[in-house]
Amino acid sequence: MWAGKAAAGAVIPFVMSGLLDNYGAQGALRAWAVALVVLTAPLLFYLKPRIPISTAHTQRPLSWSFLKKPGFWMLQIGNIIQALGYLLPPTYLASYANELRFPSIFGALLIAVVSLANVPGSMFSGFLGDHYPAASVILISSIGSSMAVLFLWGVTAQKALLVLFAALYGFFAGGFSSAYSAIVKEMKRADEGVENGVVMGLLLGGRGVGFMAAGPMSAALLQGGSKDPKFGFDTQYGRVIMFTGATALFGSCGWMWTTLKAACGSYVDGTKAPVIRMGSTQIQRPIPILRNDTPLYRLG
């Protein structure tokens, strides 16, 4: 699902660039609004349940036990933090390329590369989420996207490296939301009464909160840059770049929480971590997180 959404984003930037060049901002927005209605409204008639709804079933009460787990809230906080910076590169890359005096089509190309790289990134993260804990998948996404922002976007003004940044950022950052299914699975493993849609809705709601707050926050971070910028940090988007890199990195605070609990000798699946004897010294060593079929650290 996430990969399909990203695939459409590989075409839209070029369409919008052409509309803006020919009809201006107002005309482009009106044309896009009409296109959305025309293209999506007919699809509503084909949205049907996959199987008939049974009339003889027992309504199981919803379980909200996952809301009592600190681990869920740490993952949610990381989700909101990551959302604060996630949309900033696609939002500002076109104007950033314009400030560097690149052709306008190059800005659309960068946004298209970000969206296109989301496709394999989402699939890769989804695959990892089927085999590894959600916090580990999020860690990979956070480190990869953060390093791409800080060490490519921030320190270069060359076309080739900007395209490489767009590809790496799209791949790693785009895979963050694919870890939602892994989070839902971990909540279900702890309590079968947890409803998938409730957990997914809360995660998407948190992401929406981050998206809404990102606009005014990024606008406040814009500053005057140098007249002949050689690096991304030299431009008016320098603070935006640092903010994006920081939010991408701290999106992994769920993994940080899990690691901290392990380092402090937290309980693993209801039992204490094994004690290793070395002479007269006892060392409590937690079991490492490996795969979903191995013992995992509790989320709360």
Side-chain angles (χ1 to χ4, degrees):
M1 181 177 66
W2 304 114
K5 173 182 67 68
V11 179
I12 293 173
F14 297 104
V15 175
M16 292 300 295
S17 179
L19 290 174
L20 289 170
D21 291 341
N22 290 282
Y23 303 104
Q26 291 185 353
L29 288 175
R30 290 169 180 167
W32 180 242
V34 172
L36 283 177
V37 174
V38 172
L39 293 175
T40 60
L43 301 178
L44 296 176
F45 296 98
Y46 296 94
L47 295 178
K48 299 178 181 180
R50 292 186 300 171
I51 57 176
I53 300 176
S54 175
T55 57
H57 71 281
T58 303
Q59 184 68 33
R60 184 174 59 184
L62 293 178
S63 174
W64 301 90
S65 61
F66 68 96
L67 295 178
K68 300 178 182 179
K69 295 182 176 294
F72 170 78
W73 290 109
M74 293 305 298
L75 290 170
Q76 177 71 299
I77 291 172
N79 177 47
I80 296 173
I81 292 175
Q82 196 267 354
L84 287 172
Y86 172 69
L87 289 179
L88 299 189
T91 300
Y92 290 110
L93 273 177
S95 55
Y96 175 78
N98 183 64
E99 180 168 332
L100 296 178
R101 300 181 181 87
F102 293 144
S104 60
I105 193 64
F106 183 70
L109 173 65
L110 291 177
I111 299 174
V113 170
V114 171
S115 297
L116 192 61
N118 277 186
V119 177
S122 298
M123 297 173 64
F124 178 68
S125 292
F127 170 79
L128 291 180
D130 290 338
H131 298 83
Y132 298 93
S136 300
V137 180
I138 289 173
L139 176 67
I140 295 173
S141 172
S142 298
I143 292 179
S145 54
S146 178
M147 296 302 100
V149 170
L150 297 176
F151 294 107
L152 284 176
W153 189 15
V155 299
T156 185
Q158 300 178 13
K159 287 185 177 181
L161 292 179
L162 284 175
V163 172
L164 178 61
F165 154 71
L168 291 177
Y169 181 80
F171 182 87
F172 287 106
F176 189 97
S177 55
S178 295
Y180 288 175
S181 58
I183 297 175
V184 172
K185 184 166 58 177
E186 292 184 10
M187 298 298 107
K188 291 281 289 185
R189 182 184 297 130
D191 184 353
E192 285 293 336
V194 172
E195 181 64 35
N196 295 1
V198 173
V199 180
M200 185 68 75
L202 288 174
L203 293 172
L204 291 173
R207 196 163 181 80
V209 170
F211 287 164
M212 289 190 296
M217 291 180 68
S218 62
L221 290 171
L222 292 175
Q223 60 179 352
S226 62
K227 295 182 179 179
D228 188 19
K230 297 181 180 179
F231 305 99
F233 292 126
D234 292 338
T235 67
Q236 63 172 324
Y237 305 101
R239 292 180 182 176
V240 172
I241 295 172
M242 290 187 287
F243 179 77
T244 304
T247 54
L249 181 61
F250 284 99
S252 63
C253 63
W255 177 88
M256 299 176 188
W257 168 262
T258 303
T259 304
L260 179 62
K261 288 189 67 179
C264 295
S266 62
Y267 285 80
V268 182
D269 279 354
T271 59
K272 269 193 174 181
V275 175
I276 300 175
R277 294 183 178 274
M278 299 181 63
S280 59
T281 305
Q282 293 184 354
I283 301 176
Q284 190 175 42
R285 185 176 182 181
I287 301 173
I289 297 178
L290 294 176
R291 300 173 64 89
N292 276 346
D293 53 358
T294 61
L296 304 177
Y297 294 109
R298 283 186 175 273
L299 290 175

